[in-house]
Amino acid sequence: MEFVLKHKVFWDRREVDQYPNAICPSNTEAVVLVKQMIAQMMTLHQSAKFIHIGADEVWHVGVCPRCKQRMHKADSTKEQLFMDHVKAIASFIKEQYPRTAVVMWDDMFRTMDVATMKESGLGKLVEPMVWHYRAQFSLDHDLLHKYAAVFPNIWAASAFKGATGPREIITDIGYHLDNHFSWLRYFDRKNTVPQFAKFRGYAVTGWQRYDHYGTLCELLPQAIPSLAICLQTLREGDFNNDMLEVISKRLGFDHNIDLHAYPRPKPLPTSFNFPGQDVYKGVLLLGNHQVELQNILNNDVYKGWFNDWHIKRNYSNAFRINQLLDSITRVYESFETVKTLMQRALLEIYDGATVEEWMETHLLPDYRKVKQLHETAQAQLVKK
């Protein structure tokens, strides 16, 4: 909803005036807005078998004066207010698009009891998608038993990229592989997993932002190896070195894909061949160079003889600066190279605004820093 509620014309539909996260479910115009958005999507996807309505992480519900008055009048709770809203939207979809099943995120149900969920009638209207993206699982099977008492069908949601930090640029394949192993183990315990009419399957998500306002995180091209590995793991119900070797060869690697993004710096593969391969290469290089720059900034010579105080007063020991200059020059030239590579590679895939955002967020600040260091070091070496 942030994409819509960020616009001033829709501010009055917000649950909290200052936040674009959620609509007010008691505002008739807000409900109409959601229905209009759904109608637009269904016009473009008339044969859709499923539609996902979101409804996760609704941190602000029942807090505006209109909702408080509604809850007081009906003697209801915030949970009931939320479910009434979902029921209204799901019922609209069922009436207008009877062949399309309604899917929604499950997290708002996790603290609700079975009786409350049954009373809402949502069991006949929606299918929950249980999301969990961590390598170490924290969902217990009691949650599934609770859902099985209400919902005939269920989904699971994993992640092949994202979910490890809003500014991450390199996908840690091993982390996401562990997430998929955890899901497989979670549903493999036949004695503890309840029977649903249908386990619909997995939604393998790939985060591009943490929310509409968040910065770009891991780009899709550099995550293609992770996507291939995670999909194959779900398909086979396992993953082993033979499978890794097959996937690596299909993506043009001369050695098996490195499953771990860190620690860096680390050597790059000498060959690979898949769509967006130059973005993959550039991001790995950038990850290396960022660590190399940080090593310079953490160096005792930099801290003790080349800090901002020294630079401001042009008061440095040339002997000490020369101890750092080779490293600064090498890292600066490396940043020049990766800047040119990423600018070209990104423009082959993304629009100019996206390229500008990514470069300004992830590459150019460090590039400017090391460029300034290089210029300053050379200037400090000039005999005064």
Side-chain angles (χ1 to χ4, degrees):
M1 294 305 302
E2 294 162 343
F3 176 78
V4 173
L5 296 180
K6 70 180 180 181
H7 297 289
K8 191 172 183 178
V9 66
F10 298 121
W11 284 4
D12 61 347
R13 275 80 158 177
R14 296 177 176 182
E15 176 68 5
V16 179
D17 291 343
Q18 192 177 4
Y19 303 149
N21 303 68
I23 64 162
C24 169
S26 303
N27 184 327
T28 303
E29 292 183 352
V31 176
V32 170
L33 174 63
V34 173
K35 293 179 179 179
Q36 290 174 335
M37 293 169 65
I38 291 170
Q40 288 179 352
M41 292 187 64
M42 293 305 298
T43 298
L44 295 173
H45 304 280
Q46 297 181 19
S47 60
K49 296 179 180 180
F50 306 97
I51 182 171
H52 200 306
I53 62 172
D56 62 324
E57 298 181 338
V58 187
W59 297 307
H60 307 102
V61 60
V63 297
C64 76
R66 186 185 277 111
C67 285
K68 288 181 178 178
Q69 183 179 11
R70 175 180 172 182
M71 288 188 297
H72 177 74
K73 185 176 181 180
D75 191 24
S76 61
T77 65
K78 291 182 179 182
E79 291 179 341
Q80 291 169 326
L81 179 65
F82 169 80
M83 290 189 291
D84 285 347
H85 172 68
V86 172
K87 184 176 181 179
I89 299 302
S91 296
F92 164 76
I93 295 171
K94 289 291 186 181
E95 292 169 3
Q96 298 295 318
Y97 315 100
R99 297 181 179 178
T100 303
V102 181
V103 183
M104 64 177 288
W105 297 119
D106 80 297
D107 55 286
M108 295 298 290
F109 296 135
R110 293 183 186 180
T111 58
M112 298 183 189
D113 57 56
V114 172
T116 301
M117 290 190 289
K118 281 186 174 182
E119 185 180 352
S120 72
L122 289 178
K124 299 178 181 180
L125 296 172
V126 303
E127 300 180 3
M129 181 176 284
V130 184
W131 58 262
H132 198 290
Y133 310 119
R134 295 178 181 175
Q136 301 299 321
F137 239 50
S138 60
L139 295 178
D140 59 45
H141 286 88
D142 290 342
L143 184 69
L144 290 185
H145 283 281
K146 182 169 70 171
Y147 289 167
V150 181
F151 304 102
N153 304 325
I154 196 168
W155 298 73
S158 60
F160 74 93
K161 77 181 185 78
T164 56
R167 275 180 55 89
E168 283 292 334
I169 61 172
I170 303 175
T171 298
D172 191 338
I173 301 174
Y175 181 95
H176 297 290
L177 183 58
D178 285 342
N179 173 243
H180 287 86
F181 281 149
S182 295
W183 269 117
L184 291 170
R185 288 193 296 267
Y186 188 65
F187 283 113
D188 189 46
R189 297 172 61 184
K190 296 179 174 58
N191 295 330
T192 57
V193 177
Q195 292 296 311
F196 291 87
K198 286 185 180 179
F199 171 64
R200 293 289 197 181
Y202 292 93
V204 184
T205 68
W207 302 22
Q208 195 56 88
R209 303 179 190 271
Y210 271 52
D211 65 28
H212 185 68
Y213 289 84
T215 189
L216 291 165
C217 51
E218 303 151 50
L219 299 174
L220 174 60
Q222 65 78 42
I224 286 178
S226 180
L227 176 60
I229 288 171
C230 291
L231 288 176
Q232 192 72 3
T233 300
L234 289 180
R235 179 181 178 180
E236 301 297 332
D238 191 14
F239 192 77
N240 55 46
N241 198 64
D242 290 340
M243 294 164 64
L244 177 60
E245 184 175 346
V246 169
I247 292 174
S248 299
K249 288 181 178 179
R250 288 183 178 178
L251 294 178
F253 288 83
D254 54 351
H255 294 90
N256 282 353
I257 297 167
D258 189 346
L259 300 180
H260 302 289
Y262 302 98
R264 307 201 77 82
K266 59 172 60 185
L268 265 66
T270 55
S271 66
F272 38 86
N273 183 22
F274 54 86
Q277 63 187 35
D278 284 345
V279 173
Y280 175 78
K281 176 182 179 180
V283 167
L284 294 183
L285 285 171
L286 178 59
N288 283 350
H289 302 333
Q290 286 176 331
V291 173
E292 292 164 350
L293 173 58
Q294 196 58 47
N295 289 340
I296 292 174
L297 300 178
N298 290 333
N299 189 289
D300 283 342
V301 175
Y302 173 79
K303 291 180 177 180
W305 286 273
F306 195 45
N307 60 40
D308 291 344
W309 184 89
H310 290 95
I311 293 170
K312 182 177 181 180
R313 289 160 179 78
N314 192 24
Y315 186 72
S316 298
N317 186 327
F319 168 71
R320 296 295 186 180
I321 293 176
N322 270 319
Q323 288 181 305
L324 277 180
L325 186 57
D326 285 348
S327 295
I328 292 174
T329 300
R330 178 176 54 79
V331 175
Y332 169 55
E333 291 174 350
S334 297
F335 264 95
E336 282 278 15
T337 300
V338 78
K339 178 171 75 77
T340 301
L341 171 62
M342 288 303 295
Q343 187 77 28
R344 174 184 56 78
L346 290 173
L347 283 172
E348 291 177 354
I349 301 172
Y350 298 100
D351 63 276
T354 300
V355 175
E356 179 189 14
E357 179 189 349
W358 193 92
M359 295 287 287
E360 286 287 352
T361 300
H362 298 293
L363 194 153
L364 292 179
D366 286 335
Y367 167 75
R368 295 182 185 117
K369 177 66 176 178
V370 72
K371 180 181 180 182
Q372 181 186 33
L373 282 178
H374 187 256
E375 293 172 351
T376 304
Q378 290 183 319
Q380 292 288 312
L381 290 173
V382 176
K383 192 73 174 177
K384 298 296 184 182

